[in-house]
Amino acid sequence: MIVQRSIPSASATRTGVWVGIGAITMSFAAYTSAMVVRQGSFPAWQHFMLPSILYWNSLVLVVSSGTLELARRRIGGPFDRLGRADSLSVERLRQRLVWLWATLGLGFVFLAGQYLAWHSLSAQGVFLATSPSSSFFYVLTAVHALHLLGGLGALAYALHCLRVDDGPHSVHVLGAVALYWHFMAVLWLYLLVILALWV
Amino acid sequence: MVTVSALLSEHPPAESHHHAPEGWIRKYVFSLDHKVIGKQYLGLGLVAVLTGMVLSWIMRYHLAFPDKPVPLIGLIAPTFAAGGVITPEFYLQLMTMHGTIMVFFVLTTAPFAGFGNFVLPLQIGAEDMAFPRFNMMSFWVTFVAFVVLVAAFFVPDGPPLSGWTAYAPLSAVGKGAGPGEGLGQSLWVVSIGIFCIGQLLGSLNFIATTLDLRTKGMTLARLPYSTWAWFITAMIGLIAFSVLLPACVLLLLDRVAGTSFFIPAGLVVSDAMQPHSGGSPLLWQHLFWFFGHPEVYIAIVPGFGIVSTILPAVCRKPHLGPRVLIACLLAIAGLSYMVWGHHMFLSGMSPTSATLFSVPTLIITIPAAIITLLWLGTIYGSKLRLTTAALFCLGFVSVFVTGGLSGFFLSQPSIDTYLHGTYFVVGHFHFVMGVAAMFGIFAGTYFWFPKMFGRMMNETLGKWHFALTFLGVYATFMPMHWLGLEGNVRRYSSFPADYMHGSLALHRFITFAALFLGAAQLIFLVNLLWSRLRGPAAPENPWEATTLEWSTTSPPPFDNFGGVHPVVSHGPNEYGVASPHGDYIMQIDPPTAAPAAA
């Protein structure tokens, strides 16, 4: 059998995502510890109220995680661990892709919400360099948004794969993307708590 | 005698075959093949090491002859060194670029990404890395990082002068901090940030490949030591570069966006009050050294693996305590994250904190010492084949012990307070990190060159290269300990009229030794080129080694094992036992080839 060399195995993909999650966790741990140290060494740390849209946005991201999980279970359901498919009509598969499209849409809604939060703060005169707390707010939310943008790209790739070929490879890709997306949601909730407490 | 190809042909066929790429660009430039990418990393490392070495010669010449212009430099860099005169600022710029190029683009890329990429998939019986596209991206991202860094030589104020550690606030405040602290320093930060991304992609690939692409029978207990070392290095790198990248982002924002992460309030630089408030320069040091100390192990652990793989093959006996060796490597990796503060004893750290960093620093010497004793125990009583690779392994042990011993002094805050700003530290880290890692690179080159290019290197030239390099290394770096004990400060461009004037003779000796050491590398370059073009054809297993890379042709085919999935039945350590090959059992030998006393 001739196959493309660039297609990684399912288990390696999953391991890769877990390792990537480890690296991202470590990098946000670095940002967080920098913020804690920075606050501790600067008595005049200025707190400001987080824009309320961030809380609604959190809900959007959590819901998107739910829609993606629905998509993953419904599309990946017919496949067993070895990637063998039960009968699943093309029409039914397409119906189930709706949940993926919904996730993609919610992802964009979240990013738009983040932009509105930045806009709201800048309208109040709180910019990146205004104070140490605002600097960390913008950096943490922007870096998370960048990672989420990567997740949206991966989601679009999974959709493309499933539309072209609904075989086990596409299902594995979807599984890996779902893992990453759920992590993005958990990471955001962590950041929200940190930001609510510190900035 | 049974040929290894014959053995391999009895193994099951691979479930899939891969197309070799067609076209020069896909084959040699944007290649997905781990073997090509490994060679690309080694090529980049070679260019970088030659660049870094030339920079060090300019510095050394100036230190030896501070009143004389450096030949040719006035022509090459008329803006920064008009008439060949090295200003203190330009000296610091040279020092910054020398350190950055050597640490990041030589000591990180060659032993880990270079040899690891080429050898690791072969040693575990895989056809390639887990993510070939990420692998290709990893190299090209690293290449771009190198180009961005070197571009700093070609901007108006030249490269930065804040050292390879880029200490804030000097590195954070911008142009006013001195020549090169404008665009040059920004290029440095961007370059290192890009480099982090490349190394993170590489580390991810190494970990996933080792965990998921091992061939049948290749249990963790049967992994070759070099593969263990690259795997552990990848884990260290994954954490270390994940911290350096955010640090670079924050530093860049301080420079271009007016934030104050690392710049304190009330800072006056070049008579100008800096418009920043309340940042912490120490925060940069913590973030940087949380990466920086593990970076030492990113440079040296692959060397541990290379030496531990080569020694049993040249000693013709099993490596002593293989499980202890792996446990010690893991212990070193874990401890490497607990010792970063020993680089900051002079930062105003409290004695309690200093002690807390000093203790694990002393503890980390225990696994390092155990590994050294395991090497010596393996060599002891063996029928050592003194190949060039073997000589560089012995040299590795020597320089690592020498550098490690001076580390004992520096790990104690009370002694480090005196020595930290002196040439003692320069001698220490060049031995333990720079030279030891380079000896690992040389050992790996002489050992795996036949597999990489299908030709043997010239052993006579190799032995001359080793002898002169060994001599040159000790002549260059050993006297630096003496300079340090005398109180000779580092980072100064010259000492013409102060209390260090008496050390000028020793500085001149070191400079001649450094030039001699550099000249000795010409032998290596000639050997490399001549052997690549005219060296005798290499057999599949010229060193009679056991690991899987020696079970395939030299060089290996595109899919590594010619459409066969090797099945592993033995560990990598079965030397000194009777078998159809001689005194060793290869990992692909059938299980019936049970070890017996040779």
Side-chain angles (χ1 to χ4, degrees):
Chain A
M1 182 173 61
I2 310 287
V3 296
Q4 284 284 322
R5 192 181 206 179
S6 55
I7 296 177
S9 75
S11 61
T13 305
R14 206 164 175 78
T15 305
V17 175
W18 275 114
V19 174
I21 286 172
I24 295 168
T25 304
M26 198 60 217
S27 108
F28 275 91
Y31 283 120
T32 311
S33 56
M35 187 168 75
V36 173
V37 169
R38 183 74 175 76
Q39 192 202 21
S41 64
F42 188 57
W45 182 272
Q46 293 169 305
H47 292 275
F48 62 87
M49 286 289 289
L50 291 183
S52 57
I53 193 170
L54 287 180
Y55 299 102
W56 294 107
N57 230 8
S58 308
L59 194 63
V60 169
L61 199 56
V62 170
V63 171
S64 79
S65 212
T67 53
L68 183 56
E69 188 57 21
L70 267 176
R72 191 188 69 79
R73 290 185 183 193
R74 293 191 170 204
I75 295 168
F79 289 88
D80 64 14
R81 284 178 63 82
L82 297 173
R84 291 175 301 218
D86 291 339
S87 58
L88 179 66
S89 71
V90 173
E91 191 50 39
R92 286 182 66 193
L93 179 76
R94 282 189 181 153
Q95 283 172 7
R96 290 168 188 191
L97 286 184
V98 165
W99 293 109
L100 262 186
W101 283 109
T103 310
L104 201 65
L106 288 168
F108 280 111
V109 170
F110 176 83
L111 285 183
Q114 297 297 83
Y115 174 77
L116 287 177
W118 296 326
H119 187 70
S120 150
L121 279 180
S122 59
Q124 297 168 43
V126 179
F127 297 98
L128 174 68
T130 302
S131 70
S133 52
S134 69
S135 300
F136 276 104
F137 172 82
Y138 279 103
V139 167
L140 286 171
T141 51
V143 174
H144 176 267
L146 267 178
H147 283 89
L148 195 98
L149 207 58
L152 282 174
L155 210 54
Y157 175 68
L159 255 170
H160 167 76
C161 288
L162 283 161
R163 292 181 74 185
V164 172
D165 168 30
D166 58 355
H169 168 68
S170 303
V171 174
H172 293 317
V173 169
L174 178 61
V177 173
L179 180 61
Y180 180 78
W181 193 263
H182 296 328
F183 168 68
M184 280 294 112
V186 172
L187 179 63
W188 172 249
L189 293 178
Y190 161 76
L191 289 179
L192 188 71
V193 172
I194 292 292
L195 292 172
L197 287 175
W198 263 285
V199 304
Chain B
M1 178 70 74
V2 180
T3 66
V4 287
S5 294
L7 273 171
L8 199 61
S9 66
E10 292 166 13
H11 287 241
E15 290 169 5
S16 60
H17 295 289
H18 292 134
H19 285 299
E22 290 169 7
W24 192 81
I25 297 279
R26 295 295 297 177
K27 208 170 176 180
Y28 297 110
V29 183
F30 297 112
S31 172
L32 300 178
D33 185 351
H34 71 98
K35 299 183 287 295
V36 175
I37 294 168
K39 288 177 190 173
Q40 286 174 324
Y41 266 116
L42 290 171
L44 176 63
L46 189 62
V47 171
V49 78
L50 293 174
T51 311
M53 199 164 63
V54 169
L55 298 181
S56 72
W57 287 343
I58 302 169
M59 288 188 287
R60 283 299 339 160
Y61 188 92
H62 179 69
L63 284 167
F65 306 102
D67 301 327
K68 291 183 182 171
V70 179
L72 298 177
I73 295 305
L75 296 174
I76 300 168
T79 319
F80 311 124
V85 176
I86 306 291
T87 60
E89 292 84 0
F90 188 52
Y91 178 88
L92 288 174
Q93 291 174 303
L94 292 171
M95 185 198 75
T96 300
M97 294 300 272
H98 166 77
T100 307
I101 288 172
M102 289 301 204
V103 170
F104 289 98
F105 295 95
V106 180
L107 302 180
T108 306
T109 57
F112 172 60
F115 286 114
N117 253 306
F118 187 91
V119 180
L120 186 144
L122 286 164
Q123 284 196 335
I124 64 170
E127 291 178 20
D128 206 319
M129 284 286 191
F131 307 106
R133 287 189 196 283
F134 276 8
N135 208 20
M136 180 183 73
M137 276 170 62
S138 166
F139 170 74
W140 283 107
V141 163
T142 306
F143 178 79
V144 168
F146 183 68
V147 172
V148 171
L149 182 73
V150 172
F153 276 113
F154 303 98
V155 296
D157 274 345
L161 46 64
S162 59
W164 84 275
T165 53
Y167 270 8
L170 182 61
S171 60
V173 293
K175 206 171 177 180
E181 288 307 287
L183 184 54
Q185 183 71 61
S186 293
L187 287 171
W188 186 97
V189 181
V190 171
S191 163
I192 299 308
I194 297 172
F195 184 84
C196 290
I197 294 168
Q199 294 311 301
L200 286 170
L201 289 173
S203 297
L204 186 150
N205 230 333
F206 274 58
I207 294 171
T209 304
T210 310
L211 291 178
D212 287 300
L213 297 195
R214 281 172 286 130
T215 193
K216 192 177 174 187
M218 182 58 84
T219 59
L220 289 178
R222 286 175 179 162
L223 273 186
Y225 311 124
S226 42
T227 291
W228 264 111
W230 288 312
F231 176 61
I232 291 168
T233 306
M235 291 197 290
I236 301 174
L238 191 83
I239 297 172
F241 288 109
S242 295
V243 172
L244 184 61
L245 181 57
C248 286
V249 169
L250 299 183
L251 183 60
L252 190 65
L253 288 174
D254 269 5
R255 296 183 55 76
V256 300
T259 55
S260 304
F261 294 109
F262 305 122
I263 307 172
L267 182 69
V268 177
V269 175
S270 303
D271 294 331
M273 173 74 88
Q274 298 301 309
H276 293 273
S277 60
S280 167
L282 276 183
L283 178 58
W284 168 262
Q285 290 197 29
H286 280 291
L287 290 172
F288 184 86
W289 286 116
F290 187 83
F291 146 80
H293 194 79
E295 166 62 29
V296 172
Y297 296 99
I298 292 170
I300 200 72
V301 166
F304 286 5
I306 291 169
V307 169
S308 296
T309 298
I310 297 174
L311 272 185
V314 294
C315 291
R316 312 310 299 167
K317 62 183 276 204
H319 200 292
L320 199 61
R323 284 171 194 259
V324 178
L325 172 72
I326 305 305
C328 287
L329 287 178
L330 288 167
I332 286 173
L335 286 164
S336 73
Y337 285 102
M338 301 178 194
V339 298
W340 81 90
H342 72 221
H343 297 272
M344 299 168 56
F345 285 153
L346 295 192
S347 67
M349 173 182 285
S350 77
T352 310
S353 302
T355 307
L356 286 174
F357 281 116
S358 173
V359 170
T361 305
L362 289 166
I363 291 174
I364 208 168
T365 61
I366 297 172
I370 292 173
I371 291 175
T372 307
L373 291 172
L374 292 178
W375 289 331
L376 295 177
T378 304
I379 297 165
Y380 181 74
S382 69
K383 303 165 190 167
L384 186 62
R385 293 176 181 174
L386 271 181
T387 60
T388 308
L391 287 170
F392 273 106
C393 287
L394 298 178
F396 180 98
V397 179
S398 169
V399 294
F400 180 69
V401 169
T402 303
L405 283 175
S406 55
F408 275 118
F409 301 99
L410 297 171
S411 66
Q412 296 165 69
S414 53
I415 303 175
D416 184 69
T417 302
Y418 176 77
L419 293 173
H420 190 83
T422 74
Y423 268 83
F424 192 91
V425 172
V426 182
H428 161 72
F429 70 68
H430 273 92
F431 264 115
V432 80
M433 184 185 181
V435 177
M438 284 308 299
F439 273 44
I441 292 170
F442 286 136
T445 305
Y446 284 103
F447 190 65
W448 282 304
F449 186 91
K451 188 56 61 182
M452 287 181 171
F453 299 104
R455 293 181 184 274
M456 301 298 291
M457 287 188 83
N458 185 294
E459 279 288 305
T460 308
L461 284 178
K463 285 170 183 168
W464 272 106
H465 172 224
F466 167 76
L468 299 181
T469 300
F470 191 74
L471 196 66
V473 157
Y474 271 93
T476 304
F477 299 112
M478 205 62 186
M480 289 186 183
H481 295 90
W482 175 249
L483 285 175
L485 290 171
E486 278 190 323
N488 196 153
V489 285
R490 57 183 171 132
R491 302 194 185 105
Y492 280 30
S493 66
S494 60
F495 321 94
D498 62 13
Y499 72 102
M500 285 315 306
H501 191 70
S503 66
L504 202 56
L506 194 47
H507 270 296
R508 282 187 180 151
F509 174 80
I510 293 173
T511 296
F512 288 127
L515 291 168
F516 170 81
L517 177 61
Q521 305 318 304
L522 288 174
I523 301 173
F524 175 68
L525 289 178
V526 168
N527 196 357
L528 209 59
L529 286 174
W530 185 86
S531 303
R532 175 70 187 88
L533 300 173
R534 297 290 165 87
E540 288 166 342
N541 189 4
W543 315 117
E544 298 185 299
T546 59
T547 44
L548 284 186
E549 74 272 29
W550 305 108
S551 311
T552 187
T553 54
S554 301
F558 178 68
D559 65 354
N560 288 348
F561 296 96
V564 171
H565 267 326
V567 176
V568 171
S569 308
H570 301 274
N573 209 18
E574 298 190 3
Y575 290 96
V577 290
S579 83
H581 313 293
D583 65 346
Y584 64 106
I585 295 175
M586 298 190 75
Q587 289 197 276
I588 57 154
D589 276 331
T592 46

